[in-house]
């Protein structure tokens, strides 16, 4: 089984899918989830490491926010090359490499995580953990090619949701260590992940496949980059995934800084929101399959605005219980929105193919080609939203000592995302900015 390449892949052919395709696709999905899951844990590792950094480390809250911002930034930037690496090297081959590469930041953190290490060294190691963020892009591009359009919402949601769960899992591991041994043993967290990385790489080598029909297509990348829908969806993904990953990184620090929680108290709360947001992401994809991604996305943004308003009230009145309710609701809603927005991407490009006169497998192949390329850009820009959230919190705490000002800016952005979703994908007829002279089609069902 090692080194295998699948020469022909036609998931839209129902006979092919029933007799062979579904079984192979699902096997690749499960082991893709495993590798991406660990990648997310390593990417968000410093959201846990900063909880171990007491006064003896000499790093203030602004410095800690900068550490997690650095990891977020690198994770966003590497998503673009990781997307195209799947076509260049094969999904199985790249999964093996990307899993093994996680040993570098994990071992580096194991080496430096002690008082007396220079702040510059911490920044460099935090940046290195950013490569874990790239695993998402390559994994989603790979799984997108395996599944037919009618199942992409569920498959992509399950793949991403299983990966996203890596965030609360690493936080739970941190909680376990802090709760049992105190905050003086951060290396135990890292020691847990080193063997898991090896397991993920071995499983990818034994059980995953490369798809020969997936080719490194620079033309698709350029075409996707020129299409306005790529950048419209990037903005929406900033609102959903950018919020999820930004809040995941920052939640523990916000609890410590604004509400005076101890490391143990913060760690005991931070995993709940990311866990719920991760678990519900496949539900967002399934709802999008049934009701249309644009409708689900608009509902998610409207509800995120309401939850943010509740958080603002709690922040202004220093009510921790209300703050936790609002913040947890935000995580759940970002998870729903993550699933629905990623379902929209292949649907949009498939709809464009039909508009161009393509039918059947030709339309499906066109949609896979462009949506796979677009996912790299969309995933990267969306992850940059997490950086913006961390920097907004850093500035808000520096100037006022609370995160209230940051939450006001998030509320305004969710209102903008709601307006964009309605105007571009739900208003009838929906405009197609890439081809304004052609008959226009609606995207409410994507």
């Amino acid at each position: 089984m090692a080194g295998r390449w699948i020469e022909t892949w036609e998931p839209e052919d129902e006979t092919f899918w029933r007799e062979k395709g579904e079984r192979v696709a699902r096997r690749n999905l499960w082991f893709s989830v495993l590798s991406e899951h660990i990648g997310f844990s390593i990417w968000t590792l410093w959201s846990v490491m900063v909880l171990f950094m007491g006064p003896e480390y000499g790093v203030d809250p602004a410095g800690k926010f900068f550490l997690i911002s650095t990891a977020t930034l690198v994770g966003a930037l590497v998503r673009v090359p990781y997307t195209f690496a799947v076509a260049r090297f094969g999904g199985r081959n790249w999964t093996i490499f990307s899993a093994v590469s996680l040993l570098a930041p994990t071992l580096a953190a194991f080496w430096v995580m002690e008082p007396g290490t220079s702040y510059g060294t911490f920044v460099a190691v935090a940046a290195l953990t950013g490569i874990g963020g790239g695993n998402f892009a390559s994994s989603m591009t790979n799984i997108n090619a395996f599944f037919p359009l009618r199942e992409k919402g569920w498959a992509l949601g399950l793949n991403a949701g299983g990966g996203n769960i890596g965030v609360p899992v690493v936080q739970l591991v941190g909680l376990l260590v802090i709760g049992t041994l105190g905050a003086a043993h951060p290396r135990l967290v890292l020691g847990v992940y080193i063997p898991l990385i090896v397991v993920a790489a071995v499983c990818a080598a034994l059980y995953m496949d490369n798809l020969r029909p997936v080719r490194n297509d620079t033309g698709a990348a350029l075409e996707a980059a020129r299409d306005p829908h790529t950048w419209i969806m990037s903005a929406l993904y900033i609102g959903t995934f950018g919020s999820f990953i930004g809040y995941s990184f920052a939640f523990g620090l916000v609890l410590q800084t604004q509400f005076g929680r101890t490391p143990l108290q913060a760690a005991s709360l931070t995993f709940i929101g990311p866990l719920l947001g991760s678990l519900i992401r496949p539900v967002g994809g399934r709802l999008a399959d049934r009701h249309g991604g644009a409708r689900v996305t608009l509902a998610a943004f409207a509800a995120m605005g309401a939850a943010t308003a509740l958080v603002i009230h709690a922040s202004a009145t220093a009510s921790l219980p209300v703050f936790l309710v609002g913040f947890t609701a935000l995580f759940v809603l970002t998870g729903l929105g993550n699933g629905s927005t990623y379902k929209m991407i292949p649907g949009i490009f498939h709809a464009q193919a039909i508009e161009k006169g393509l039918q059947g497998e030709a339309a499906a192949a066109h949609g896979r080609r462009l949506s796979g390329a677009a996912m790299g850009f969309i995933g990267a820009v969306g992850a940059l939203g997490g950086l913006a959230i961390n920097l907004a919190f850093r500035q808000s705490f520096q100037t006022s000592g609370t995160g209230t000002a940051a939450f006001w800016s998030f509320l305004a952005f969710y209102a903008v995302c709601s307006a964009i979703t309605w105007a571009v994908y739900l208003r009838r007829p929906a405009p197609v900015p890439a081809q304004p002279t052609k008959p226009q089609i609606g995207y409410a069902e994507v």
Side-chain angles (χ1 to χ4, degrees):
M1 296 172 68
R4 63 191 169 195
W5 285 81
I6 295 177
E7 300 294 332
T8 302
W9 190 256
E10 298 179 352
E12 302 298 338
D13 183 325
E14 293 188 7
T15 301
F16 171 86
W17 181 251
R18 183 177 60 256
E19 294 181 353
K20 176 184 177 182
E22 183 174 15
R23 172 176 52 82
V24 174
R26 290 186 182 277
R27 186 185 69 240
N28 279 268
L29 171 62
W30 296 125
F31 291 102
S32 173
V33 167
L34 174 62
S35 178
E36 185 193 346
H37 172 95
I38 297 174
F40 261 98
S41 291
I42 301 306
W43 185 24
T44 55
L45 181 65
W46 284 88
S47 69
V48 176
M49 290 296 101
V50 295
L51 300 180
F52 287 90
M53 298 174 72
E56 67 274 15
Y57 282 81
V59 182
D60 63 10
K64 293 177 182 179
F65 274 114
F66 188 79
L67 285 176
I68 61 177
S69 298
T70 301
T72 310
L73 173 62
V74 175
L77 295 179
V78 300
R79 286 186 167 198
V80 174
Y82 268 58
T83 296
F84 302 114
V86 169
R88 176 67 179 84
F89 301 104
R92 167 188 174 273
N93 296 345
W94 188 255
T95 302
I96 297 169
F97 171 80
S98 62
V100 171
S101 68
L102 296 175
L103 287 171
T106 309
L107 291 171
F110 190 94
W111 182 262
V112 307
M113 197 62 199
E114 61 185 10
T117 300
S118 70
Y119 183 70
T121 301
F122 283 132
V123 171
V125 175
L128 191 59
T129 62
I131 63 174
N135 287 29
F136 171 86
S138 56
S139 179
M140 293 294 276
T141 300
N142 188 39
I143 295 305
N144 179 61
F146 273 98
F147 281 83
L149 181 64
R150 64 184 177 276
E151 295 192 25
K152 284 186 188 292
W154 173 249
L156 292 175
L158 192 63
N159 186 58
N164 290 171
I165 290 176
V167 179
V169 167
V170 73
Q171 293 170 343
L172 278 169
V173 172
L175 170 62
L176 179 62
V177 172
I178 293 174
T180 56
L181 298 173
H185 302 282
R187 288 189 172 97
L188 291 179
V189 177
L190 303 164
V192 168
Y193 277 91
I194 292 171
L196 292 178
I197 291 169
V198 175
V199 169
V202 171
C203 287
L206 293 176
Y207 301 113
M208 292 187 71
D209 303 285
N210 301 304
L211 292 181
R212 186 75 68 183
V214 178
R215 290 285 185 267
N216 194 20
D217 189 346
T218 56
L222 293 174
E223 191 173 345
R226 289 194 297 264
D227 194 312
H229 285 291
T230 298
W231 306 109
I232 293 170
M233 290 305 302
S234 295
L236 299 184
Y237 203 54
I238 287 175
T240 57
F241 180 75
S243 296
F244 173 83
I245 199 64
Y247 293 152
S248 296
F249 271 104
F251 192 20
L253 273 178
V254 171
L255 291 175
Q256 281 189 298
T257 307
Q258 183 165 338
F259 291 95
R261 302 295 94 178
T262 66
L264 178 59
Q265 291 170 330
S268 67
L269 296 171
T270 53
F271 75 93
I272 298 173
L275 177 61
L276 294 175
S278 301
L279 291 174
I280 206 167
R281 180 163 182 161
V283 178
R286 180 64 83 190
L287 288 173
D289 284 338
R290 294 179 179 176
H291 305 292
R295 294 190 183 99
V296 177
T297 298
L298 179 60
F301 278 129
M304 286 166 65
T308 305
L310 182 63
V311 170
I312 291 172
H313 170 73
S315 182
T317 58
S319 173
L320 180 58
V322 176
F323 184 86
L324 291 174
V325 169
F327 219 117
T328 302
L330 273 174
F331 273 112
V332 171
L333 294 166
T334 60
L336 280 173
N338 284 337
S340 61
T341 51
Y342 246 77
K343 157 63 180 178
M344 291 171 68
I345 299 167
I348 289 167
F349 289 106
H350 186 264
Q352 285 188 341
I354 294 174
E355 186 192 41
K356 292 176 180 178
L358 300 176
Q359 297 294 329
E361 178 58 31
H366 177 87
R368 287 195 300 271
R369 172 177 174 266
L370 287 188
S371 62
M375 282 179 179
F377 298 116
I378 294 168
V381 175
L384 286 173
L387 172 65
I389 281 180
N390 291 325
L391 292 178
F393 275 131
R394 182 175 185 268
Q395 182 62 34
S396 183
F397 279 107
Q398 274 190 323
T399 56
S400 64
T402 74
T404 304
F407 285 115
W408 275 111
S409 67
F410 305 153
L411 177 59
F413 187 70
Y414 298 149
V416 171
C417 289
S418 297
I420 291 173
T421 305
W422 176 82
V424 179
Y425 298 114
L426 287 171
R427 188 179 58 179
R428 297 180 183 275
V432 185
Q435 302 178 62
T437 62
K438 295 194 173 186
Q440 294 183 340
I441 59 176
Y443 285 104
E445 305 303 323
V446 299

